[in-house]
């Protein structure tokens, strides 16, 4: 399994600066759920003063006392929506990974360090108004979309939300499937999401109703046939992309070829890509 650019746990050229306590929150783990040998989610308490926009990421780490080593920080998309009382994260477990090797062992009551400032490009503000919001993800790249599909603002801005999640194996899809099912059932967001939120899942190395990389499904049109719609339309569709570096590059090429223009916080466009470590 390769790492998405968010929640990755490999050495990168961009190293987090040494933690400065003034810049850090120390929060408590409230919940942990493991899906596979490679994937888990957890929740932590939310500092009263912490504000973020759904889709953003923060840097998180573990205290030195928990690992016996200097704290290592990694970028994690916040997977819970901005109105939620606790903060959720969806993480990969990298064997020997400097952070996730320890992080995968957390239990309720443990301490997580979190930098005070969130940021990111997978935010509604970076997109021009449109009718249909596509959130295209692979692996842990679904995390920022778990935040957005639970945010009423996304339904105020878009008529329809389509999230896609592609993984190698069926059991890696459980987080997105559970999140979307719970969203449709949610007393607050369920009403907005009913008949307007769709999750399309596919696998590449397992049997599943829809199989194949998302790039293949877009290129051969089977994604659109599956939904009973025509292809992407840059006038009304807006696209967010989150996954591994290779996936980001390939999906970007496809949407650019379809006439989409990349947006940013200061210049909204018709698609956005997570740029946590890019450029
Ligand atoms: P595949 O099984 O064909 O490699 P990973 O864990 O490696 O990030 O992969 C998660 C999912 O993303 C897998 O289903 C994988 O398919 C798919 N994937 C990997 N690279 C790309 C890419 N360049 N474009 C689209 N999908 C990709």
């Amino acid at each position: 399994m390769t790492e998405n650019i968010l929640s990755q746990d490999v050495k990168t050229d961009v190293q987090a600066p040494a933690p400065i306590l003034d810049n850090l929150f120390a929060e408590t783990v409230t919940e942990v759920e493991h899906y596979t040998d490679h994937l888990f989610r957890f929740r932590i308490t939310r500092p009263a003063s912490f504000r973020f926009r759904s889709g953003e990421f923060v840097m998180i780490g573990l205290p030195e006392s928990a690992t016996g080593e200097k704290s290592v920080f990694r970028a994690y998309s916040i997977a819970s929506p901005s109105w939620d009382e606790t903060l959720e994260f969806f993480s990969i477990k990298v064997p020997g990974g400097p952070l996730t090797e320890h992080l995968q062992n957390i239990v309720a009551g443990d301490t997580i360090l979190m930098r005070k400032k969130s940021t990111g490009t997978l935010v509604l503000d970076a997109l021009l108004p449109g009718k249909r919001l596509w959130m295209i993800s692979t692996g842990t790249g679904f995390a920022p979309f778990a935040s957005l599909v639970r945010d009423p603002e996304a339904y105020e801005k878009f008529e329809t939300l389509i999230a896609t999640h592609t993984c190698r194996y069926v059991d890696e899809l459980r987080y997105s499937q559970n999140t979307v099912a719970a969203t449709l059932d949610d007393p607050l967001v369920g009403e907005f999401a009913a008949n307007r939120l769709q999750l399309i899942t596919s696998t590449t190395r397992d049997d599943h109703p829809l199989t194949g990389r998302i790039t293949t499904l877009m290129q051969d049109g089977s994604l659109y046939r599956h939904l009973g719609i025509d292809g992407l339309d840059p006038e009304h569709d807006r696209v967010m992309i989150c996954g591994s570096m290779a996936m980001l590059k390939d999906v970007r090429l496809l949407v650019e070829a379809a006439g989409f223009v990349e947006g940013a916080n200061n210049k909204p466009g018709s698609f956005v890509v997570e740029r946590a470590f890019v450029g």
Side-chain angles (χ1 to χ4, degrees):
M1 176 173 289
T2 55
E3 292 77 20
N4 292 320
I5 60 162
L6 289 164
S7 78
Q8 67 180 357
D9 194 10
V10 287
K11 281 210 171 5
T12 60
D13 293 332
V14 184
Q15 285 295 324
I20 303 161
L21 277 174
D22 274 358
N23 288 342
L24 288 175
F25 292 118
E27 296 304 310
T28 306
V29 176
T30 60
E31 206 184 321
V32 184
E33 184 178 9
H34 292 268
Y35 297 104
T36 69
D37 289 350
H38 299 288
L39 294 172
F40 70 115
R41 89 176 164 92
F42 59 95
R43 277 189 178 258
I44 62 172
T45 49
R46 176 172 177 171
S49 63
F50 180 64
R51 297 275 174 277
F52 70 100
R53 293 179 297 172
S54 296
E56 287 189 322
F57 67 88
V58 280
M59 303 297 289
I60 67 170
L62 286 166
E64 277 182 44
S65 56
T67 60
E69 290 158 26
K70 205 165 171 315
S71 296
V72 173
F73 284 77
R74 291 286 180 260
Y76 272 80
S77 288
I78 303 165
S80 47
S82 52
W83 53 263
D84 212 332
E85 282 170 11
T86 54
L87 300 173
E88 183 172 83
F89 299 95
F90 181 42
S91 180
I92 194 170
K93 306 173 194 175
V94 182
L99 176 60
T100 63
E101 183 182 54
H102 303 291
L103 193 64
Q104 63 181 290
N105 298 321
I106 54 168
V107 292
D110 286 352
T111 300
I112 297 279
L113 303 178
M114 183 177 95
R115 290 253 161 80
K116 290 190 174 172
K117 215 181 140 13
S118 62
T119 185
T121 48
L122 298 180
V123 290
L124 295 168
D125 292 342
L127 290 174
L128 293 165
K131 290 189 176 162
R132 208 161 43 186
L133 176 61
W134 295 80
M135 291 162 282
I136 299 185
S137 70
T138 55
T140 52
F142 183 74
F145 306 144
S147 174
L148 283 157
V149 300
R150 295 186 267 194
D151 189 336
E153 195 188 338
Y155 300 92
E156 281 159 22
K157 294 198 163 167
F158 292 94
E159 290 171 14
T160 322
L161 272 68
I162 302 172
T164 79
H165 190 206
T166 304
C167 290
R168 296 179 184 191
Y169 307 106
V170 170
D171 56 5
E172 295 167 348
L173 298 171
R174 200 140 52 90
Y175 177 67
S176 60
Q177 290 169 329
N178 290 356
T179 299
V180 167
T183 302
L184 292 167
D185 240 12
D186 186 272
L188 173 68
V189 196
E191 218 173 288
F192 295 98
N195 304 315
R196 294 168 62 196
L197 168 63
Q198 276 197 77
L199 173 69
I200 306 296
T201 55
S202 74
T203 55
T204 48
R205 306 191 191 190
D206 236 352
D207 279 345
H208 194 61
L210 195 61
T211 56
R213 286 186 173 195
I214 193 64
T215 40
T216 310
L217 301 177
M218 290 168 81
Q219 271 173 309
D220 70 11
S222 45
L223 174 65
Y224 311 117
R225 281 194 299 281
H226 184 82
L227 286 160
I229 58 174
D230 295 331
L232 292 181
D233 164 12
E235 205 184 320
H236 301 299
D237 285 313
R238 300 291 171 257
V239 183
M240 292 178 157
I241 312 167
C242 194
S244 64
M245 295 295 279
M247 176 274 197
L248 296 183
K249 179 171 154 280
D250 290 351
V251 180
R252 166 199 289 278
L253 287 174
L254 288 179
V255 296
E256 282 179 344
F260 286 74
V261 176
E262 186 169 5
N265 276 291
N266 56 0
K267 193 174 181 296
S270 49
F271 84 95
V272 280
V273 173
E274 189 49 82
R275 298 183 71 89
F277 287 100
V278 188

